mmCIF file of all heavy atoms in Angstrom:
data_model
loop_
_atom_site.group_PDB
_atom_site.id
_atom_site.type_symbol
_atom_site.label_atom_id
_atom_site.label_comp_id
_atom_site.label_asym_id
_atom_site.label_seq_id
_atom_site.Cartn_x
_atom_site.Cartn_y
_atom_site.Cartn_z
ATOM 1 N N ASP A 72 82.556 30.581 37.145
ATOM 2 C CA ASP A 72 81.295 30.137 37.726
ATOM 3 C C ASP A 72 81.461 29.020 38.759
ATOM 4 O O ASP A 72 80.507 28.540 39.322
ATOM 5 C CB ASP A 72 80.344 29.677 36.612
ATOM 6 C CG ASP A 72 80.924 28.549 35.774
ATOM 7 O OD1 ASP A 72 82.114 28.213 35.933
ATOM 8 O OD2 ASP A 72 80.177 27.996 34.954
ATOM 9 N N GLU A 73 82.693 28.618 39.005
ATOM 10 C CA GLU A 73 82.943 27.516 39.941
ATOM 11 C C GLU A 73 83.087 28.057 41.359
ATOM 12 O O GLU A 73 83.834 28.995 41.607
ATOM 13 C CB GLU A 73 84.236 26.789 39.533
ATOM 14 C CG GLU A 73 84.535 25.577 40.378
ATOM 15 C CD GLU A 73 85.796 24.876 39.916
ATOM 16 O OE1 GLU A 73 85.810 24.384 38.781
ATOM 17 O OE2 GLU A 73 86.746 24.841 40.699
ATOM 18 N N GLU A 74 82.345 27.479 42.263
ATOM 19 C CA GLU A 74 82.441 27.879 43.671
ATOM 20 C C GLU A 74 83.467 26.981 44.364
ATOM 21 O O GLU A 74 83.277 25.788 44.496
ATOM 22 C CB GLU A 74 81.079 27.738 44.360
ATOM 23 C CG GLU A 74 80.060 28.749 43.891
ATOM 24 C CD GLU A 74 80.472 30.185 44.180
ATOM 25 O OE1 GLU A 74 81.016 30.451 45.269
ATOM 26 O OE2 GLU A 74 80.255 31.032 43.299
ATOM 27 N N THR A 75 84.577 27.583 44.767
ATOM 28 C CA THR A 75 85.611 26.842 45.476
ATOM 29 C C THR A 75 85.923 27.563 46.772
ATOM 30 O O THR A 75 85.641 28.751 46.920
ATOM 31 C CB THR A 75 86.901 26.732 44.632
ATOM 32 O OG1 THR A 75 87.362 28.049 44.337
ATOM 33 C CG2 THR A 75 86.674 25.964 43.350
ATOM 34 N N GLU A 76 86.511 26.826 47.706
ATOM 35 C CA GLU A 76 86.855 27.422 48.987
ATOM 36 C C GLU A 76 87.893 28.523 48.812
ATOM 37 O O GLU A 76 87.793 29.581 49.404
ATOM 38 C CB GLU A 76 87.377 26.340 49.936
ATOM 39 C CG GLU A 76 87.386 26.790 51.372
ATOM 40 C CD GLU A 76 87.644 25.636 52.301
ATOM 41 O OE1 GLU A 76 86.880 24.653 52.264
ATOM 42 O OE2 GLU A 76 88.612 25.733 53.064
ATOM 43 N N GLN A 77 88.901 28.252 48.002
ATOM 44 C CA GLN A 77 89.908 29.264 47.719
ATOM 45 C C GLN A 77 89.883 29.550 46.235
ATOM 46 O O GLN A 77 90.038 28.645 45.420
ATOM 47 C CB GLN A 77 91.300 28.823 48.136
ATOM 48 C CG GLN A 77 92.323 29.906 47.899
ATOM 49 C CD GLN A 77 93.668 29.590 48.509
ATOM 50 O OE1 GLN A 77 93.870 28.541 49.063
ATOM 51 N NE2 GLN A 77 94.593 30.513 48.390
ATOM 52 N N LYS A 78 89.695 30.801 45.859
ATOM 53 C CA LYS A 78 89.577 31.212 44.467
ATOM 54 C C LYS A 78 90.935 31.688 43.957
ATOM 55 O O LYS A 78 91.448 32.716 44.398
ATOM 56 C CB LYS A 78 88.536 32.328 44.352
ATOM 57 C CG LYS A 78 88.407 32.909 42.998
ATOM 58 C CD LYS A 78 87.474 32.093 42.164
ATOM 59 C CE LYS A 78 87.172 32.877 40.903
ATOM 60 N NZ LYS A 78 86.784 32.103 39.834
ATOM 61 N N ILE A 79 91.534 30.895 43.057
ATOM 62 C CA ILE A 79 92.793 31.272 42.422
ATOM 63 C C ILE A 79 92.443 31.755 41.024
ATOM 64 O O ILE A 79 91.969 30.979 40.196
ATOM 65 C CB ILE A 79 93.779 30.093 42.373
ATOM 66 C CG1 ILE A 79 94.062 29.602 43.797
ATOM 67 C CG2 ILE A 79 95.056 30.503 41.659
ATOM 68 C CD1 ILE A 79 94.873 28.327 43.865
ATOM 69 N N LEU A 80 92.658 33.040 40.768
ATOM 70 C CA LEU A 80 92.257 33.623 39.498
ATOM 71 C C LEU A 80 93.068 33.070 38.336
ATOM 72 O O LEU A 80 92.504 32.660 37.328
ATOM 73 C CB LEU A 80 92.392 35.150 39.565
ATOM 74 C CG LEU A 80 91.747 35.928 38.443
ATOM 75 C CD1 LEU A 80 90.249 35.663 38.362
ATOM 76 C CD2 LEU A 80 92.001 37.416 38.636
ATOM 77 N N GLY A 81 94.379 33.037 38.466
ATOM 78 C CA GLY A 81 95.224 32.505 37.397
ATOM 79 C C GLY A 81 96.566 33.195 37.339
ATOM 80 O O GLY A 81 96.971 33.891 38.270
ATOM 81 N N GLU A 82 97.235 32.986 36.200
ATOM 82 C CA GLU A 82 98.579 33.512 36.000
ATOM 83 C C GLU A 82 98.610 34.414 34.775
ATOM 84 O O GLU A 82 98.001 34.099 33.751
ATOM 85 C CB GLU A 82 99.563 32.367 35.777
ATOM 86 C CG GLU A 82 99.629 31.387 36.931
ATOM 87 C CD GLU A 82 100.532 30.214 36.633
ATOM 88 O OE1 GLU A 82 100.491 29.677 35.500
ATOM 89 O OE2 GLU A 82 101.288 29.827 37.546
ATOM 90 N N VAL A 83 99.368 35.510 34.891
ATOM 91 C CA VAL A 83 99.569 36.429 33.782
ATOM 92 C C VAL A 83 101.070 36.548 33.555
ATOM 93 O O VAL A 83 101.808 36.933 34.462
ATOM 94 C CB VAL A 83 98.986 37.829 34.076
ATOM 95 C CG1 VAL A 83 99.250 38.777 32.907
ATOM 96 C CG2 VAL A 83 97.499 37.749 34.387
ATOM 97 N N PHE A 84 101.511 36.187 32.354
ATOM 98 C CA PHE A 84 102.906 36.323 31.960
ATOM 99 C C PHE A 84 103.004 37.567 31.079
ATOM 100 O O PHE A 84 102.330 37.652 30.051
ATOM 101 C CB PHE A 84 103.388 35.090 31.193
ATOM 102 C CG PHE A 84 103.533 33.879 32.061
ATOM 103 C CD1 PHE A 84 102.422 33.109 32.391
ATOM 104 C CD2 PHE A 84 104.771 33.511 32.552
ATOM 105 C CE1 PHE A 84 102.541 31.997 33.210
ATOM 106 C CE2 PHE A 84 104.901 32.396 33.372
ATOM 107 C CZ PHE A 84 103.782 31.634 33.700
ATOM 108 N N VAL A 85 103.833 38.527 31.496
ATOM 109 C CA VAL A 85 103.964 39.804 30.796
ATOM 110 C C VAL A 85 105.408 39.968 30.340
ATOM 111 O O VAL A 85 106.339 39.641 31.079
ATOM 112 C CB VAL A 85 103.589 40.974 31.740
ATOM 113 C CG1 VAL A 85 103.880 42.321 31.098
ATOM 114 C CG2 VAL A 85 102.130 40.874 32.157
ATOM 115 N N CYS A 86 105.579 40.515 29.136
ATOM 116 C CA CYS A 86 106.921 40.763 28.623
ATOM 117 C C CYS A 86 107.200 42.260 28.575
ATOM 118 O O CYS A 86 106.747 42.957 27.660
ATOM 119 C CB CYS A 86 107.069 40.159 27.235
ATOM 120 S SG CYS A 86 108.758 40.307 26.604
ATOM 121 N N PRO A 87 107.941 42.789 29.564
ATOM 122 C CA PRO A 87 108.274 44.208 29.560
ATOM 123 C C PRO A 87 109.052 44.648 28.317
ATOM 124 O O PRO A 87 108.908 45.783 27.864
ATOM 125 C CB PRO A 87 109.126 44.381 30.822
ATOM 126 C CG PRO A 87 108.686 43.273 31.715
ATOM 127 C CD PRO A 87 108.411 42.125 30.783
ATOM 128 N N GLU A 88 109.867 43.756 27.753
ATOM 129 C CA GLU A 88 110.616 44.095 26.537
ATOM 130 C C GLU A 88 109.665 44.441 25.397
ATOM 131 O O GLU A 88 109.917 45.384 24.641
ATOM 132 C CB GLU A 88 111.515 42.925 26.118
ATOM 133 C CG GLU A 88 112.655 42.650 27.061
ATOM 134 C CD GLU A 88 113.393 41.384 26.672
ATOM 135 O OE1 GLU A 88 114.064 41.391 25.616
ATOM 136 O OE2 GLU A 88 113.293 40.392 27.421
ATOM 137 N N VAL A 89 108.588 43.668 25.263
ATOM 138 C CA VAL A 89 107.605 43.943 24.217
ATOM 139 C C VAL A 89 106.926 45.285 24.495
ATOM 140 O O VAL A 89 106.730 46.094 23.584
ATOM 141 C CB VAL A 89 106.568 42.796 24.104
ATOM 142 C CG1 VAL A 89 105.411 43.179 23.203
ATOM 143 C CG2 VAL A 89 107.239 41.527 23.584
ATOM 144 N N ALA A 90 106.579 45.539 25.753
ATOM 145 C CA ALA A 90 105.949 46.815 26.118
ATOM 146 C C ALA A 90 106.880 47.979 25.803
ATOM 147 O O ALA A 90 106.451 49.004 25.258
ATOM 148 C CB ALA A 90 105.575 46.823 27.600
ATOM 149 N N PHE A 91 108.151 47.817 26.115
ATOM 150 C CA PHE A 91 109.114 48.885 25.869
ATOM 151 C C PHE A 91 109.260 49.136 24.369
ATOM 152 O O PHE A 91 109.196 50.281 23.908
ATOM 153 C CB PHE A 91 110.469 48.551 26.493
ATOM 154 C CG PHE A 91 111.449 49.686 26.436
ATOM 155 C CD1 PHE A 91 111.415 50.676 27.400
ATOM 156 C CD2 PHE A 91 112.384 49.770 25.425
ATOM 157 C CE1 PHE A 91 112.308 51.743 27.354
ATOM 158 C CE2 PHE A 91 113.280 50.826 25.367
ATOM 159 C CZ PHE A 91 113.239 51.811 26.330
ATOM 160 N N ALA A 92 109.450 48.067 23.601
ATOM 161 C CA ALA A 92 109.611 48.203 22.147
ATOM 162 C C ALA A 92 108.369 48.840 21.522
ATOM 163 O O ALA A 92 108.474 49.759 20.710
ATOM 164 C CB ALA A 92 109.883 46.837 21.521
ATOM 165 N N TYR A 93 107.192 48.363 21.919
ATOM 166 C CA TYR A 93 105.947 48.888 21.357
ATOM 167 C C TYR A 93 105.764 50.363 21.720
ATOM 168 O O TYR A 93 105.369 51.178 20.880
ATOM 169 C CB TYR A 93 104.755 48.058 21.838
ATOM 170 C CG TYR A 93 103.469 48.431 21.140
ATOM 171 C CD1 TYR A 93 103.158 47.908 19.893
ATOM 172 C CD2 TYR A 93 102.577 49.328 21.720
ATOM 173 C CE1 TYR A 93 101.984 48.258 19.233
ATOM 174 C CE2 TYR A 93 101.407 49.687 21.079
ATOM 175 C CZ TYR A 93 101.116 49.149 19.833
ATOM 176 O OH TYR A 93 99.964 49.516 19.189
ATOM 177 N N SER A 94 106.069 50.713 22.955
ATOM 178 C CA SER A 94 105.910 52.107 23.379
ATOM 179 C C SER A 94 106.888 53.014 22.621
ATOM 180 O O SER A 94 106.517 54.126 22.242
ATOM 181 C CB SER A 94 106.087 52.248 24.893
ATOM 182 O OG SER A 94 107.408 51.970 25.285
ATOM 183 N N GLN A 95 108.094 52.545 22.380
ATOM 184 C CA GLN A 95 109.075 53.337 21.640
ATOM 185 C C GLN A 95 108.665 53.506 20.174
ATOM 186 O O GLN A 95 108.748 54.600 19.623
ATOM 187 C CB GLN A 95 110.462 52.689 21.713
ATOM 188 C CG GLN A 95 111.051 52.651 23.104
ATOM 189 C CD GLN A 95 111.305 54.032 23.658
ATOM 190 O OE1 GLN A 95 112.060 54.803 23.082
ATOM 191 N NE2 GLN A 95 110.658 54.365 24.759
ATOM 192 N N GLU A 96 108.211 52.425 19.558
ATOM 193 C CA GLU A 96 107.818 52.453 18.147
ATOM 194 C C GLU A 96 106.567 53.288 17.906
ATOM 195 O O GLU A 96 106.375 53.802 16.802
ATOM 196 C CB GLU A 96 107.569 51.028 17.649
ATOM 197 C CG GLU A 96 108.823 50.188 17.562
ATOM 198 C CD GLU A 96 108.539 48.695 17.400
ATOM 199 O OE1 GLU A 96 107.366 48.310 17.202
ATOM 200 O OE2 GLU A 96 109.507 47.921 17.483
ATOM 201 N N ASN A 97 105.707 53.428 18.918
ATOM 202 C CA ASN A 97 104.428 54.115 18.751
ATOM 203 C C ASN A 97 104.308 55.393 19.582
ATOM 204 O O ASN A 97 103.207 55.921 19.736
ATOM 205 C CB ASN A 97 103.281 53.154 19.088
ATOM 206 C CG ASN A 97 103.221 52.012 18.102
ATOM 207 O OD1 ASN A 97 102.724 52.164 16.996
ATOM 208 N ND2 ASN A 97 103.766 50.866 18.482
ATOM 209 N N ALA A 98 105.428 55.879 20.088
ATOM 210 C CA ALA A 98 105.475 57.110 20.879
ATOM 211 C C ALA A 98 104.445 57.101 22.011
ATOM 212 O O ALA A 98 103.689 58.040 22.208
ATOM 213 C CB ALA A 98 105.291 58.340 19.981
ATOM 214 N N LEU A 99 104.422 55.990 22.763
ATOM 215 C CA LEU A 99 103.515 55.836 23.900
ATOM 216 C C LEU A 99 104.318 55.843 25.188
ATOM 217 O O LEU A 99 105.535 55.626 25.192
ATOM 218 C CB LEU A 99 102.742 54.515 23.778
ATOM 219 C CG LEU A 99 101.854 54.364 22.543
ATOM 220 C CD1 LEU A 99 101.344 52.939 22.429
ATOM 221 C CD2 LEU A 99 100.704 55.351 22.606
ATOM 222 N N ASP A 100 103.652 56.050 26.283
ATOM 223 C CA ASP A 100 104.291 56.023 27.593
ATOM 224 C C ASP A 100 104.545 54.572 28.005
ATOM 225 O O ASP A 100 103.608 53.777 28.093
ATOM 226 C CB ASP A 100 103.381 56.729 28.611
ATOM 227 C CG ASP A 100 104.008 56.765 29.982
ATOM 228 O OD1 ASP A 100 103.805 55.789 30.742
ATOM 229 O OD2 ASP A 100 104.690 57.753 30.290
ATOM 230 N N PHE A 101 105.804 54.235 28.251
ATOM 231 C CA PHE A 101 106.170 52.863 28.612
ATOM 232 C C PHE A 101 105.467 52.399 29.884
ATOM 233 O O PHE A 101 104.968 51.272 29.970
ATOM 234 C CB PHE A 101 107.689 52.744 28.770
ATOM 235 C CG PHE A 101 108.148 51.461 29.404
ATOM 236 C CD1 PHE A 101 107.843 50.230 28.844
ATOM 237 C CD2 PHE A 101 108.875 51.480 30.578
ATOM 238 C CE1 PHE A 101 108.252 49.037 29.431
ATOM 239 C CE2 PHE A 101 109.300 50.298 31.178
ATOM 240 C CZ PHE A 101 108.984 49.077 30.600
ATOM 241 N N ASN A 102 105.406 53.270 30.898
ATOM 242 C CA ASN A 102 104.763 52.890 32.161
ATOM 243 C C ASN A 102 103.304 52.512 31.949
ATOM 244 O O ASN A 102 102.818 51.521 32.512
ATOM 245 C CB ASN A 102 104.859 54.030 33.171
ATOM 246 C CG ASN A 102 106.293 54.370 33.530
ATOM 247 O OD1 ASN A 102 107.211 53.612 33.278
ATOM 248 N ND2 ASN A 102 106.478 55.535 34.115
ATOM 249 N N GLU A 103 102.600 53.295 31.148
ATOM 250 C CA GLU A 103 101.193 52.994 30.863
ATOM 251 C C GLU A 103 101.059 51.721 30.036
ATOM 252 O O GLU A 103 100.162 50.915 30.278
ATOM 253 C CB GLU A 103 100.528 54.172 30.143
ATOM 254 C CG GLU A 103 100.336 55.366 31.034
ATOM 255 C CD GLU A 103 99.686 56.540 30.330
ATOM 256 O OE1 GLU A 103 98.920 56.333 29.363
ATOM 257 O OE2 GLU A 103 99.942 57.683 30.750
ATOM 258 N N GLU A 104 101.950 51.523 29.076
ATOM 259 C CA GLU A 104 101.886 50.327 28.230
ATOM 260 C C GLU A 104 102.106 49.072 29.064
ATOM 261 O O GLU A 104 101.379 48.086 28.937
ATOM 262 C CB GLU A 104 102.926 50.421 27.102
ATOM 263 C CG GLU A 104 102.761 49.396 26.022
ATOM 264 C CD GLU A 104 101.492 49.561 25.192
ATOM 265 O OE1 GLU A 104 100.863 50.632 25.194
ATOM 266 O OE2 GLU A 104 101.118 48.575 24.524
ATOM 267 N N LEU A 105 103.086 49.104 29.946
ATOM 268 C CA LEU A 105 103.362 47.951 30.802
ATOM 269 C C LEU A 105 102.181 47.682 31.742
ATOM 270 O O LEU A 105 101.774 46.528 31.926
ATOM 271 C CB LEU A 105 104.646 48.179 31.601
ATOM 272 C CG LEU A 105 105.155 46.995 32.412
ATOM 273 C CD1 LEU A 105 105.419 45.781 31.529
ATOM 274 C CD2 LEU A 105 106.426 47.391 33.161
ATOM 275 N N THR A 106 101.610 48.733 32.295
ATOM 276 C CA THR A 106 100.437 48.581 33.159
ATOM 277 C C THR A 106 99.270 48.001 32.367
ATOM 278 O O THR A 106 98.563 47.102 32.845
ATOM 279 C CB THR A 106 100.039 49.936 33.774
ATOM 280 O OG1 THR A 106 101.164 50.468 34.484
ATOM 281 C CG2 THR A 106 98.860 49.784 34.721
ATOM 282 N N LEU A 107 99.095 48.474 31.141
ATOM 283 C CA LEU A 107 98.024 47.978 30.273
ATOM 284 C C LEU A 107 98.151 46.474 30.046
ATOM 285 O O LEU A 107 97.150 45.759 30.024
ATOM 286 C CB LEU A 107 98.033 48.712 28.933
ATOM 287 C CG LEU A 107 97.058 48.200 27.879
ATOM 288 C CD1 LEU A 107 95.610 48.346 28.335
ATOM 289 C CD2 LEU A 107 97.292 48.937 26.553
ATOM 290 N N TYR A 108 99.368 45.964 29.909
ATOM 291 C CA TYR A 108 99.557 44.528 29.677
ATOM 292 C C TYR A 108 99.068 43.715 30.875
ATOM 293 O O TYR A 108 98.512 42.627 30.711
ATOM 294 C CB TYR A 108 101.019 44.206 29.382
ATOM 295 C CG TYR A 108 101.509 44.696 28.032
ATOM 296 C CD1 TYR A 108 100.731 45.512 27.212
ATOM 297 C CD2 TYR A 108 102.774 44.364 27.583
ATOM 298 C CE1 TYR A 108 101.196 45.951 25.980
ATOM 299 C CE2 TYR A 108 103.238 44.799 26.350
ATOM 300 C CZ TYR A 108 102.450 45.596 25.558
ATOM 301 O OH TYR A 108 102.915 46.020 24.340
#
Side-chain angles (χ1 to χ4, degrees):
D72 58 352
E73 184 179 296
E74 290 298 320
T75 59
E76 196 169 303
Q77 183 170 3
K78 175 85 169 156
I79 301 172
L80 192 59
E82 300 176 318
V83 178
F84 289 81
V85 173
C86 185
E88 292 173 69
V89 170
F91 188 83
Y93 188 83
S94 67
Q95 295 296 300
E96 291 166 8
N97 295 281
L99 299 170
D100 182 272
F101 168 58
N102 298 344
E103 290 180 28
E104 192 67 18
L105 187 58
T106 303
L107 174 63
Y108 289 7

